[in-house]
Amino acid sequence: MATPPIDGGVLHAAPVGTVLPATALEVLGAEFLANDHGAVGENGIAINRSRTTTDIKAFGGKTFRTVQTEFDESVVITLLEDDNAAVLDTINGADNVVTDAPDADGLSRTIYHTSNPLPIRSWVVDSIDGEKTKRYVIQKGQVTEIAEVTDVHTDLTKYQITIKTYESSIGSKGENVVELRNDAALAVTGP
């Protein structure tokens, strides 16, 4: 059963061009750590890969070959900390969140709901399963969907977001996501 990392959050973001981690255990850079989205929902992380294919028919109607026409990958995650600055910037766009200095009444924020597209950013998603660490690195991803938000007195305000991934240049395979893994149970000790 996967668990969130003990020493930090699960989802981090940074501007495109930020140095990306090359291993599952590498400490994230300051830009990513400054955009820790905090706790995520119990359903964890959903990685959705879809391939669209078309059947090429031969004379007589039988399938001669199936060709792939499209590939798409997205990440779905539910964010639980609705007052977290990184969460607010992610779902609204940083320019649409205005935070005033705290005063005697507390911290005041004004959030503008606009139709402006959300920015393309780099993302890192971490999870731990026992001695196994798994990290998804997305060089270019954009929040394209935010599920319906319900505010009720018996629950937290949750934001389920979908991050659409775009082809990157991290490796040499035209990948959308690079998955990095480390299994500490298989560590070699001694000479």
Side-chain angles (χ1 to χ4, degrees):
M1 179 165 101
T3 58
I6 295 169
D7 59 350
V10 173
L11 178 67
H12 297 85
V16 171
T18 301
V19 176
L20 300 170
T23 70
L25 300 179
E26 183 177 330
V27 175
L28 294 177
E31 299 90 346
F32 282 109
L33 293 175
N35 288 292
D36 180 345
H37 289 68
V40 301
E42 66 182 335
N43 291 333
I45 308 142
I47 308 293
N48 300 311
R49 289 186 260 189
S50 64
R51 298 175 189 271
T52 304
T53 59
T54 299
D55 287 345
I56 306 298
K57 303 289 185 178
F59 188 64
K62 293 188 179 192
T63 299
F64 175 73
R65 176 182 251 161
T66 300
V67 295
Q68 180 174 304
T69 56
E70 295 178 17
F71 173 80
D72 200 12
E73 190 165 4
S74 62
V75 175
V76 178
I77 192 166
T78 301
L79 307 173
L80 299 180
E81 296 185 28
D82 74 319
D83 280 332
N84 178 313
V87 172
L88 292 173
D89 288 353
T90 290
I91 63 170
N92 298 292
D95 294 341
N96 295 321
V97 180
V98 178
T99 303
D100 297 327
D103 60 19
D105 292 326
L107 180 71
S108 178
R109 285 192 173 110
T110 303
I111 301 168
Y112 299 95
H113 296 210
T114 71
S115 62
N116 297 336
L118 294 169
I120 296 173
R121 303 167 82 187
S122 292
W123 303 85
V124 174
V125 184
D126 286 332
S127 70
I128 296 173
D129 183 5
E131 295 188 66
K132 296 179 183 179
T133 300
K134 190 183 297 183
R135 172 174 279 170
Y136 298 96
V137 180
I138 304 163
Q139 183 184 31
K140 298 175 192 169
Q142 180 178 32
V143 173
T144 57
E145 185 177 340
I146 301 166
E148 179 180 63
V149 177
T150 305
D151 280 322
V152 294
H153 71 283
T154 58
D155 201 358
L156 295 173
T157 301
K158 301 173 193 166
Y159 297 105
Q160 181 183 9
I161 63 170
T162 299
I163 302 169
K164 181 174 176 54
T165 66
Y166 303 112
E167 187 174 314
S168 74
S169 59
I170 299 172
S172 59
K173 300 184 181 296
E175 65 281 341
N176 288 37
V177 176
V178 173
E179 182 178 331
L180 305 170
R181 293 183 180 198
N182 188 79
D183 188 346
L186 300 177
V188 176
T189 58

